[in-house]
Amino acid sequence: MSFSLSIAAKATFVAYPVLIAVNVINDVVDEVSIPIEFVDEKSVDSSDADSSAKLVTPEGKTYSNQLDILNYLAGKFPTVLANAESSQELAKFALEHLYIKNFKVLAVDLEKLDSVLNYRTFVNGYTYSLADYATWGALRANALMGSIIKNEVYINISRWYNLLASDKRFDSAVDFMIKSVNDLRKSAKTANNGGKKETHKA
Amino acid sequence: MTDFLSNFEKLSLKDISSIDESKFTPLNDEQKALSSQFQTLSSRFDESESLVSLNENLKSKTFITGTSPSKVDFLVFEKAFPLSFKWTSIEDLSKYRHIIRWIDLIQNKYVDIPEADKLKVDYEAQVAREIKE
């Protein structure tokens, strides 16, 4: 058995935390390369409409909850996802509260996150913690956040968000997904035309 | 950039003034200007406006020149660190919050300081949220 990660590209809340963590693992850990498969659906599992990601491990286990996946990865790759134990509460908070698109509700929780970052450079500790991936990924997936970050509505959140964004591996994971999904859609279109239509390749 | 963040070997406080500049990511012109500005300001930390200006700069930047550490962070740290022990009132904790955050990162990640000599940071200090003006 080997690793495989599936991500639902049309999920209401795309599993960026897991996608980014795996992208960094693939970059940092020489002996591991976890293949990432994108599914152009709302869920990776036809029997569960809310399943945004699925990780199959070499041990033959399957995880489909983002926090479970992050915890498994932190156990295997503690240098990439640090401080897992002390990250649980914040990670749960991020995954449950920061994906929300109702600004009135979100604003209260962003204020909490902003105060967490008053005296902290990272969300938990002095390097990328499990909670940093959970939080950054959730905010990156939240369409409301772009202008909020840019306008420094929450000063500490913007500083921290931009620090992680300056690490190319964070946004490149997102770009990789967008490109892969575009390719998927093109080849699906070709298949629908009986394979007659040539795809344009630059 | 990130490799630098993770692979940095901790410096001893006494070696700060002799750090080799080539260990750091090269600075662009804007960063060079920030670097010399804050190096100059750090000799005037007896004037509170110098500290206020450092705090303001660290509001939106993780390090003095941006998202990576540079030599000026260590030079200014050497001057600001002893002063930070005086910031115990909630007023000062609020006023210098970004310097405190930056000191805490440097003292734990980049400079080798014995636990007992570190600045004790109260991460939960109840300071009011700052709003961009």
Side-chain angles (χ1 to χ4, degrees):
Chain A
M1 289 293 285
S2 54
F3 278 113
S4 83
L5 174 70
S6 312
I7 302 272
K10 277 188 191 155
T12 319
F13 302 113
V14 182
Y16 284 142
V18 164
L19 175 64
I20 293 163
V22 166
N23 195 41
V24 177
I25 289 166
N26 285 345
D27 181 62
V28 172
V29 188
D30 285 338
E31 60 275 20
V32 170
S33 174
I34 302 177
I36 306 169
E37 179 205 22
F38 296 99
V39 185
D40 201 11
E41 303 287 345
K42 280 187 179 310
S43 164
V44 290
D45 180 355
S46 50
S47 61
D48 176 2
D50 290 323
S51 187
S52 62
K54 183 171 84 181
L55 180 78
V56 181
T57 74
E59 299 84 23
K61 282 200 167 175
T62 301
Y63 297 97
S64 53
N65 168 294
Q66 278 216 84
L67 188 56
D68 292 345
I69 299 177
L70 292 173
N71 279 326
Y72 170 85
L73 294 172
K76 281 261 168 182
F77 310 105
T79 54
V80 179
L81 294 96
N83 306 332
E85 213 168 300
S86 54
S87 284
Q88 294 302 307
E89 202 180 317
L90 278 163
K92 214 174 269 177
F93 166 78
L95 297 171
E96 285 169 12
H97 295 275
L98 300 182
Y99 268 123
I100 285 166
K101 284 186 177 137
N102 175 337
F103 183 70
K104 271 193 183 158
V105 179
L106 181 65
V108 177
D109 290 314
L110 289 175
E111 224 170 283
K112 281 185 204 159
L113 177 61
D114 195 64
S115 74
V116 165
L117 291 163
N118 265 328
Y119 298 100
R120 291 183 179 96
T121 297
F122 293 93
V123 171
N124 176 26
Y126 303 104
T127 185
Y128 301 164
S129 69
L130 187 153
D132 285 272
Y133 288 100
T135 311
W136 200 92
L139 295 184
R140 181 64 182 79
N142 192 330
L144 285 179
M145 288 310 299
S147 65
I148 296 175
I149 301 279
K150 194 162 168 266
N151 294 323
E152 299 181 326
V153 181
Y154 303 89
I155 287 167
N156 299 319
I157 295 178
S158 288
R159 181 190 62 245
W160 159 86
Y161 186 93
N162 290 331
L163 173 67
L164 271 58
S166 77
D167 181 333
K168 289 189 225 80
R169 297 170 303 187
F170 277 63
D171 254 326
S172 76
V174 176
D175 294 341
F176 173 60
M177 184 186 99
I178 294 167
K179 189 185 170 298
S180 305
V181 171
N182 278 339
D183 290 350
L184 269 181
R185 286 178 190 164
K186 266 188 218 159
S187 55
K189 223 177 178 180
T190 313
N192 283 342
N193 288 336
K196 274 176 219 153
K197 208 171 181 181
E198 290 281 317
T199 49
H200 177 75
K201 274 184 185 156
Chain B
M1 192 182 309
T2 324
D3 293 339
F4 189 90
L5 277 174
S6 50
N7 299 334
F8 196 83
E9 210 171 296
K10 280 187 183 177
L11 286 162
S12 147
L13 251 188
K14 63 177 171 37
D15 297 333
I16 279 190
S17 48
S18 59
I19 327 173
D20 179 5
E21 199 131 9
S22 70
K23 288 176 83 156
F24 302 99
T25 316
L27 302 179
N28 62 29
D29 289 346
E30 194 189 325
Q31 291 171 320
K32 278 181 194 156
L34 279 170
S35 168
S36 66
Q37 181 192 343
F38 284 100
Q39 199 176 330
T40 311
L41 266 184
S42 69
S43 61
R44 287 193 248 120
F45 277 163
D46 49 328
E47 300 163 24
S48 94
E49 45 195 90
S50 305
L51 287 167
V52 167
S53 153
L54 176 64
N55 186 71
E56 188 62 30
N57 184 63
L58 291 167
K59 189 184 267 187
S60 59
K61 292 187 190 71
T62 298
F63 299 96
I64 290 177
T65 58
T67 52
S68 300
S70 59
K71 186 172 178 178
V72 69
D73 286 291
F74 295 91
L75 299 176
V76 176
F77 174 83
E78 203 179 13
K79 301 271 174 56
F81 179 62
L83 304 175
S84 68
F85 288 83
K86 289 182 224 149
W87 304 334
T88 51
S89 69
I90 201 81
E91 193 200 341
D92 282 347
L93 291 178
S94 175
K95 189 175 172 188
Y96 300 125
R97 67 177 80 183
H98 303 294
I99 304 182
I100 296 172
R101 192 248 336 134
W102 165 84
I103 282 179
D104 192 48
L105 176 67
I106 300 207
Q107 71 173 359
N108 282 290
K109 187 150 179 178
Y110 297 104
V111 180
D112 205 9
I113 296 177
E115 250 346 276
D117 298 342
K118 284 179 184 170
L119 174 70
K120 302 277 171 292
V121 177
D122 175 10
Y123 301 104
E124 315 305 327
Q126 293 300 307
V127 291
R129 183 182 147 209
E130 288 182 315
I131 312 285
K132 198 183 168 193
E133 283 147 35

